[in-house]
Amino acid sequence: MSHIAIDLGGTNVRVAVVSDGHILKYQSEPCLSTGSEKEVVHQIITLIESVLDETVDKIGIGVPSVVDYRRGIVYDVLNIPSWKEVHLKDLLEAHFHLDTHVDNDVNCYALGEKRFGGGKPFSDIVGITLGTGVGAGIIVGGNLYRGANTGAGEIGCLPYLDSDYEHYTSSMFFSRQGITGKEMADKAAAEDAAALDLWKQFGRHLGKLLQVILFTYDPEAIIIGGGIASSAPYFEQSMLDSMRDGFPYQHEADNIHVLFSQLKDCNLLGASEL
């Protein structure tokens, strides 16, 4: 059998039919992010209908927000202002009569990495995504650890310097400098010295976030994804040096596997495994 997977973002809604980690059908369109709750739900339903066939026996959906995983309720989606409390599991199950699971999108990312990506050899991993913000998904004993309120892994919100880690380890770090991460990557590719130095600064901040992960979760592997991860050559070494610098448990720092995601459509693949 195959599964429907949905990746709901403020920019795009992506839907796929997935079987054993392979995408068989795929559709994507811009999210009606300024629409009403019903309009966005209808958009999701219409996209599902466009790929649905008789082989599908389950639906999994990842959303960029706080989720009551057990009841499938989505709360306060920042990029979709009308979504304050959406009983998405009930709505989709009533329409399609298929078992439906709803989870945070970064949890889907971590699950995708565990099942199909760089996390396959490991039982305990932390997957982090670096983009507009910082997200993390936790895998313990091969399974997602969500916490009591599906809030586990919100490490970007932890206090750091004059703000929190998210402001120093996501695109916010660059916007604080009056530039975008894409522009800074282009400058670094042209061997601009100031840009290369700024990427090293970014790496040093990210290394301190990795220390937090080591202190709190002590995983076998940390897998880094998201748009900023494509610029890893500019910050990877300073990140690793910073992670080791001052960390008191050298054995742990020497044995952690820090990887960058190579898995295409990771969020969709993870959603198919919910």
Side-chain angles (χ1 to χ4, degrees), residues 182-205:
K182 172 66 167 62
E183 291 168 334
M184 193 56 66
D186 290 342
K187 288 178 178 289
E191 300 185 354
D192 179 89
L196 291 169
D197 182 67
L198 194 63
W199 277 110
K200 288 179 181 178
Q201 292 180 43
F202 176 85
R204 287 193 286 271
H205 294 305

Side-chain angles (χ1 to χ4, degrees), residues 133-201:
V134 175
I138 315 301
I139 303 287
V140 177
N143 298 306
L144 271 173
Y145 174 72
R146 298 178 174 89
N149 301 289
T150 321
E154 294 297 335
I155 55 177
C157 298
L158 293 171
Y160 179 64
L161 299 179
D162 63 344
S163 183
D164 56 30
Y165 279 98
E166 192 163 62
H167 280 83
Y168 284 89
T169 58
S170 74
S171 63
M172 296 181 194
F173 173 74
F174 300 101
S175 62
R176 288 162 71 103
Q177 321 294 325
I179 193 169
T180 68
K182 172 66 167 62
E183 291 168 334
M184 193 56 66
D186 290 342
K187 288 178 178 289
E191 300 185 354
D192 179 89
L196 291 169
D197 182 67
L198 194 63
W199 277 110
K200 288 179 181 178
Q201 292 180 43

Side-chain angles (χ1 to χ4, degrees), residues 73-194:
I73 302 173
V74 180
Y75 297 98
D76 300 317
V77 182
L78 290 179
N79 294 328
I80 308 176
S82 65
W83 276 37
K84 300 299 183 185
E85 182 180 321
V86 182
H87 292 242
L88 191 56
K89 175 182 171 70
D90 289 346
L91 290 169
L92 295 182
E93 287 188 343
H95 188 90
F96 292 105
H97 306 291
L98 290 171
D99 186 29
T100 299
H101 298 272
V102 185
D103 210 330
N104 174 267
D105 58 347
V106 187
N107 282 352
C108 292
Y109 160 77
L111 187 59
E113 284 292 342
K114 168 57 191 165
R115 299 289 169 81
F116 305 110
K120 288 173 70 174
F122 309 108
S123 293
D124 302 315
I125 68 173
V126 174
I128 62 174
T129 57
L130 311 176
T132 306
V134 175
I138 315 301
I139 303 287
V140 177
N143 298 306
L144 271 173
Y145 174 72
R146 298 178 174 89
N149 301 289
T150 321
E154 294 297 335
I155 55 177
C157 298
L158 293 171
Y160 179 64
L161 299 179
D162 63 344
S163 183
D164 56 30
Y165 279 98
E166 192 163 62
H167 280 83
Y168 284 89
T169 58
S170 74
S171 63
M172 296 181 194
F173 173 74
F174 300 101
S175 62
R176 288 162 71 103
Q177 321 294 325
I179 193 169
T180 68
K182 172 66 167 62
E183 291 168 334
M184 193 56 66
D186 290 342
K187 288 178 178 289
E191 300 185 354
D192 179 89

Side-chain angles (χ1 to χ4, degrees), residues 11-33:
T11 303
N12 294 305
V13 185
R14 303 190 302 147
V15 61
V17 176
V18 182
S19 178
D20 295 324
H22 300 287
I23 293 179
L24 307 180
K25 298 180 184 178
Y26 176 86
Q27 291 287 344
S28 175
E29 64 181 41
C31 179
L32 300 175
S33 56

